[in-house]
Amino acid sequence: ETGPAENLLTVATSVSVAQWLIAPQLPEFTARHPDIRLRFLSTIWPDDFNTIRADVEIPFGSHKQFGRDAILLEPNGLIALKSPQLEGKLRDLPLIEAVGTSDGWKAWGTTAGDALIPQIFVDSFGAAMNMALHGNGVALVSALLAQHALKTGQLVRAHEAVAPGNEGYYLRIEEKNPT
């Protein structure tokens, strides 16, 4: 009989990371590690990570917040994504922005040489990707989260520009845990 914490790996991260980055790769991980049980804790803000105990954390923020004992996950730029069924040029489509990050369509427009104003605001990259998936416009999101959706054709690039991200996803591992 296994105790509640035996072979249990606790991962603290946002719903966006769990849905768009971890879930697509989880079957491969569980096949390679069949005895490991997993628990995911949803976190959004940097302070959430201070109040929970997890073996692995994937917070979003700046190097100043997390960089000292964390690894920046790549690719880290911001890219514009849309549904493959959504027709039209970027400047004519509704723009979806995840608020709460320091970089948005205004910063991306500087990189792409265009002034762009978003029409739809959501609170996470994952929600922005879901909106785009359903044909609601073009989402500006983390290239890291977009990898699986692009590979499977769920979403396509709406523009080739990549804006550098001042913030990103970091990986922190709790070394004290023997698991």
Side-chain angles (χ1 to χ4, degrees):
E1 182 171 312
T2 59
E6 193 174 328
N7 292 343
L8 181 66
L9 182 67
T10 301
V11 179
T13 192
S14 67
V15 172
S16 298
V17 169
Q19 178 183 4
W20 292 98
L21 184 63
I22 295 173
Q25 298 178 43
L26 202 53
E28 183 184 332
F29 178 86
T30 54
R32 290 202 343 238
H33 306 282
D35 345 337
I36 295 183
R37 298 178 307 136
L38 296 160
R39 178 175 61 182
F40 292 95
L41 300 175
S42 298
T43 52
I44 296 173
W45 305 110
D47 290 347
D48 294 344
F49 291 92
N50 298 330
T51 59
I52 58 171
R53 293 179 53 88
D55 305 306
V56 176
E57 298 175 351
I58 306 173
F60 179 83
S62 66
H63 181 77
K64 191 170 158 184
Q65 287 171 298
F66 303 112
R68 193 170 41 98
D69 59 349
I71 300 161
L72 177 64
L73 298 176
E74 299 283 351
N76 186 41
L78 295 175
I79 59 174
L81 300 179
K82 67 182 184 93
S83 162
Q85 288 78 40
L86 187 62
E87 300 289 330
K89 294 193 183 307
L90 182 69
R91 62 172 48 257
D92 302 326
L93 296 171
L95 303 179
I96 304 163
E97 182 165 306
V99 296
T101 67
S102 64
D103 303 307
W105 279 108
K106 185 178 179 185
W108 187 88
T110 304
T111 301
D114 208 347
L116 301 168
I117 299 165
Q119 287 82 24
I120 300 172
F121 297 90
V122 294
D123 63 359
S124 70
F125 287 139
M129 288 174 66
N130 279 327
M131 287 286 181
L133 185 72
H134 292 285
N136 293 298
V138 180
L140 185 64
V141 299
S142 159
L144 179 71
L145 294 188
Q147 289 176 312
H148 181 74
L150 286 169
K151 190 169 74 178
T152 57
Q154 295 175 78
L155 293 168
V156 296
R157 299 281 291 268
H159 193 282
E160 67 280 352
V162 179
N166 291 320
E167 298 161 317
Y169 289 99
Y170 286 83
L171 176 66
R172 292 195 302 193
I173 298 169
E174 180 54 62
E175 300 292 348
K176 287 173 271 205
N177 195 317
T179 317

